[in-house]
Amino acid sequence: MSAARGNEDGVEDASVKDDGVRDGVRDDIIRDDVILDDIIPDDIIKDDIIKDDIIICRDVHKWYGNFHALKGIDLTIGRGEVVVVFGPSGSGKSTFIRTLNRLEEHQRGQIIVDGIELTNDLRNIEAIRSEIGMVFQQFNLFPHLTVQRNITLAQTWVRRRGRAEAEAKAMQLLKRVGIPEQAHKHPGQLSGGQQQRVAIARALAMDPKIMLFDEPTSALDPEMIKEVLDVMVELAQTGMTIVAVTHEMGFARAVANRMIFFDEGLIVEQGTPRDIFDHPQHQRTRLFLSQILHQ
């Protein structure tokens, strides 16, 4: 899927913007192919199962004061698509994912989620948030509540489920993420990996159509990363729409339909994992991959 084109200014080639961006991707493309041999093993690349667009972004801009964090993002994400967003610190990737459920407000452009435009209308914001689950770098669990209660709280308040139904759902999800025995403990008694799995279960308890992950493994010790990634892989294989900001390239190679490289508030390059890993077109993408894959 390519970035959306704008022709509102009536110029002869409307796909080229004044800042050197073509179709949401920088125009200074390096044409010769570079193959990154033996850097990462060949994994199964997920077949394209996209049916229709569930997220549409048109010319999305975001400023923090004078700092231009997002510079005209044009992007569509299909229902059931798994998209990995990656890039250097400060590139705008986390800001972008947080605009999708209004944790950050975009100042210009249009964001449409499952047919609902994200505006200042609180009804639209609530409707979109009810369909999106999000997992953050930090676990954001309530320390004074048990694991089970962390998962049932929003179910009873937002979904209006009865206590028994909510508790049954919580136990089902704790089994799914592999820690049913932790249900009656408090978050402080769990490892970081276990807490992040509780956070995933809590998000899934709301039956979201879309899951957003904002660097979910960055705060974990190396030995705990795999247990969280295993849950994310299983989730991706069920057909859930996922947008994940992550530098876990093995995860991206295994399950992503598409990878999007951000830098300086722009989409520099996007493509399938095979395109990105084996034939990165932009020299900035090559440099970033060479650094992160050799760490």
Side-chain angles (χ1 to χ4, degrees):
M1 298 178 70
S2 62
R5 298 186 179 182
N7 56 7
E8 299 166 353
D9 53 7
V11 295
E12 183 175 351
D13 184 357
S15 67
V16 181
K17 300 180 182 178
D18 292 339
D19 58 3
V21 178
R22 182 185 300 271
D23 294 343
V25 181
R26 289 182 178 174
D27 199 36
D28 51 336
I29 300 296
I30 304 299
R31 297 297 174 185
D32 56 310
D33 291 337
V34 171
I35 300 176
L36 303 176
D37 289 328
D38 301 324
I39 289 178
I40 193 164
D42 289 330
D43 288 80
I44 297 173
I45 298 178
K46 191 178 176 188
D47 291 336
D48 192 353
I49 58 171
I50 303 160
K51 299 177 181 178
D52 62 311
D53 293 331
I54 193 169
I55 298 173
I56 301 171
C57 301
R58 297 175 179 144
D59 194 32
V60 174
H61 292 257
K62 168 70 180 176
W63 286 268
Y64 295 103
N66 294 324
F67 178 67
H68 201 175
L70 297 177
K71 303 173 182 177
I73 302 301
D74 291 304
L75 181 67
T76 57
I77 295 173
R79 194 179 304 273
E81 190 176 9
V82 178
V83 174
V84 166
V85 180
F86 69 111
S89 177
S91 62
K93 57 189 186 296
S94 288
T95 298
F96 167 69
I97 200 173
R98 290 167 71 90
T99 64
L100 299 180
N101 63 353
R102 203 60 162 197
L103 290 179
E104 295 286 353
E105 181 180 354
H106 64 288
Q107 284 93 11
R108 199 170 89 198
Q110 189 178 40
I111 298 175
I112 301 170
V113 179
D114 201 22
I116 304 172
E117 183 173 2
L118 193 52
T119 66
N120 289 325
D121 189 326
L122 291 178
R123 292 170 298 180
N124 286 13
I125 294 173
E126 290 174 359
I128 288 172
R129 285 179 175 171
S130 70
E131 304 298 341
I132 294 179
M134 188 160 186
V135 178
F136 302 87
Q137 297 177 36
Q138 302 301 324
F139 320 123
N140 295 328
L141 300 174
F142 293 109
H144 63 291
L145 300 179
T146 64
V147 164
Q148 185 182 60
R149 186 59 178 143
N150 266 278
I151 300 172
T152 62
L153 186 63
Q155 293 188 68
T156 55
W157 280 91
V158 179
R159 293 299 189 197
R160 301 297 181 185
R161 291 174 182 154
R163 179 175 176 178
E165 181 185 3
E167 289 181 350
K169 180 81 169 180
M171 290 307 301
Q172 172 195 346
L173 289 168
L174 286 172
K175 290 177 182 177
R176 182 175 178 180
V177 300
I179 49 171
E181 73 283 356
Q182 308 297 340
H184 301 295
K185 293 183 180 179
H186 287 78
Q189 298 173 281
L190 275 58
S191 70
Q194 289 172 332
Q195 290 186 63
Q196 194 63 293
R197 283 188 278 171
V198 173
I200 294 173
R202 179 179 59 183
L204 291 175
M206 304 303 288
D207 298 320
K209 295 180 180 178
I210 302 166
M211 282 290 292
L212 306 178
F213 292 90
D214 187 7
E215 300 195 49
T217 61
S218 64
L220 300 179
D221 293 332
E223 63 269 21
M224 298 178 185
I225 291 175
K226 183 180 183 300
E227 60 192 53
V228 173
L229 290 179
D230 286 345
V231 174
M232 293 174 64
V233 168
E234 186 273 333
L235 188 59
Q237 292 171 343
T238 66
M240 171 74 72
T241 303
I242 294 176
V243 184
V245 173
T246 182
H247 291 153
E248 298 295 339
M249 296 293 99
F251 168 80
R253 189 73 183 255
V255 301
N257 299 108
R258 184 164 36 134
M259 297 177 67
I260 301 175
F261 179 57
F262 268 65
D263 192 28
E264 297 182 359
L266 292 167
I267 293 175
V268 176
E269 184 171 353
Q270 58 181 306
T272 66
R274 183 167 293 164
D275 292 336
I276 296 297
F277 287 120
D278 295 346
H279 302 281
Q281 297 295 298
H282 195 286
Q283 59 182 349
R284 183 67 183 94
T285 313
R286 297 183 204 173
L287 176 61
F288 184 81
L289 286 173
S290 68
Q291 292 172 337
I292 194 170
L293 294 176
H294 283 91
Q295 287 180 353

